[in-house]
Amino acid sequence: MYKRLLIQILEDYLECMKKNVKSNNRYNDNTTLQVTKNEGIAAVLETINFVRQCPQLKPFYWNKYLSKVSKLHAQDCAKHNYSSHKNKKGEKPSNRMKKYGHVFFGGAENIMNGIKNAIESVLNLIIDDGV
């Protein structure tokens, strides 16, 4: 289900790119998606083809520890006006995850600025055009 939805969002976005108009974000709220990509249409087509070939994955489940770690880091970045994977104490994401009780089998952190909604954030992360 999530895969089909993602492909539909990507295809809608691709059509808007071809028409050179802002995407109407009918999936979330009344804002518009403003995802700018250096490689343009080629990057979106590559992403659509990649997603189509991916096996269906199990859904993610909410993790209150990771949520707390993320929220505290975002608040610290905002309070001290910086954007970095390391906090002001020099702790990496994995250190912070362990500190707040996450049994660490692996993890990652994405930092984004100026994003207005969740769909815009996801599109920016998955349409990789050399980032």
Side-chain angles (χ1 to χ4, degrees):
M1 180 176 139
Y2 299 111
K3 184 176 172 179
R4 285 194 312 254
L5 176 61
L6 178 57
I7 290 170
Q8 183 62 53
I9 291 168
L10 286 164
E11 287 175 342
D12 288 353
Y13 177 67
L14 178 64
E15 288 306 310
C16 290
M17 283 184 78
K18 287 178 180 177
K19 295 175 186 172
N20 199 21
V21 296
K22 291 180 182 176
S23 173
N24 291 324
N25 179 4
R26 66 177 187 215
Y27 306 101
N28 189 1
D29 52 32
N30 293 327
T31 61
T32 58
L33 299 177
Q34 297 183 33
V35 182
T36 305
K37 293 296 173 183
N38 296 327
E39 294 177 17
I41 291 172
V44 180
L45 285 170
E46 181 182 2
T47 302
I48 291 170
N49 291 330
F50 176 79
V51 171
R52 282 187 177 133
Q53 294 174 13
C54 287
Q56 190 71 32
L57 299 175
K58 295 179 183 177
F60 286 105
Y61 292 96
W62 190 258
N63 184 305
K64 64 182 180 181
Y65 302 110
L66 295 179
S67 176
K68 183 173 183 170
V69 170
S70 298
K71 184 176 182 177
L72 290 172
H73 185 60
Q75 289 171 338
D76 187 57
C77 288
K79 181 179 177 182
H80 296 102
N81 195 29
Y82 75 100
S83 181
S84 174
H85 293 292
K86 289 184 180 180
N87 64 15
K88 290 292 185 179
K89 297 176 187 174
E91 296 172 318
K92 297 177 184 177
S94 58
N95 301 119
R96 295 190 305 272
M97 289 178 210
K98 289 176 187 175
K99 180 177 166 181
Y100 284 92
H102 178 62
V103 178
F104 199 77
F105 297 107
E109 174 184 71
N110 294 301
I111 297 177
M112 305 199 68
N113 297 306
I115 303 301
K116 296 182 174 89
N117 60 58
I119 293 175
E120 185 177 326
S121 177
V122 170
L123 288 177
N124 270 293
L125 290 170
I126 65 170
I127 303 172
D128 183 1
D129 66 345
V131 177

